[in-house]
Amino acid sequence: MSASAPAVNNVILVGHLTADPVLKELADDRKVCALRLAVNDQKGQPPLYIDVATFGSQAEACANYLAKGRAIAVTGRLIYREWEDDSGNRRSRHHVIGRVQFGGRNDDSPSTEEDDPGEEAA
C-alpha cells in the first residue's frame, strides 16, 4: 500500500445485543444510544464484545425497537479513546460509531439514516 493511498475506517459487524439499548440525552439535546454487540466469527472461539453508539433518530429507533438477544448489523467507523479514571489509572477503549440495520420477521421498526455527529459525544 502506498503512502499516498487514502485511509479507510469502515467497520461492518453482525451479531447479537448482549443487553437492552441505553438511550441518553446529551447536553446539547442530541440523543445517543449505547449498544453492546457480541460477534462470533469462528466456532469454538469466544465472542468479541463491541460497544456501539448511534445518534439522533437512529438512537431513538434502536431504543424503541431493539432488545437483548436481537440480531443486528452495524456499519460505522472505529474510534479509540483514552482517559484517566478517578484513581489516576490510564484507561482506553475501542468502540464503533455507526448506523444499525435491523429487520426480519415480526419487525415493524423503521429504517433510519442520519448523519452521525462524530466521536466527541460518545
Side-chain angles (χ1 to χ4, degrees):
M1 186 177 203
S2 80
S4 63
V8 176
N9 182 352
N10 190 29
V11 176
I12 300 171
L13 301 166
V14 177
H16 290 85
L17 293 175
T18 65
D20 289 338
V22 177
L23 184 66
K24 295 180 184 176
E25 190 164 325
L26 302 173
D28 58 1
D29 294 330
R30 288 185 299 160
K31 301 248 195 290
V32 60
C33 188
L35 307 164
R36 185 128 171 110
L37 190 63
V39 178
N40 190 344
D41 64 344
Q42 296 179 0
K43 281 189 172 185
Q45 296 295 319
L48 298 171
Y49 296 99
I50 300 166
D51 295 319
V52 176
T54 63
F55 292 87
S57 60
Q58 171 85 170
E60 292 181 48
C62 287
N64 288 332
Y65 295 103
L66 298 179
K68 179 179 178 177
R70 180 74 181 268
I72 62 170
V74 175
T75 58
R77 67 184 197 273
L78 189 63
I79 302 296
Y80 177 74
R81 277 188 45 218
E82 291 183 344
W83 71 96
E84 191 173 293
D85 68 14
D86 294 337
S87 303
N89 299 315
R90 291 199 54 93
R91 306 286 309 247
S92 66
R93 77 176 184 133
H94 284 90
H95 63 280
V96 174
I97 303 294
R99 292 182 179 82
V100 174
Q101 301 295 315
F102 48 98
R105 293 178 293 165
N106 301 324
D107 183 28
D108 58 355
S109 57
S111 174
T112 62
E113 289 292 326
E114 179 172 299
D115 288 338
D116 115 11
E119 69 183 89
E120 294 79 27

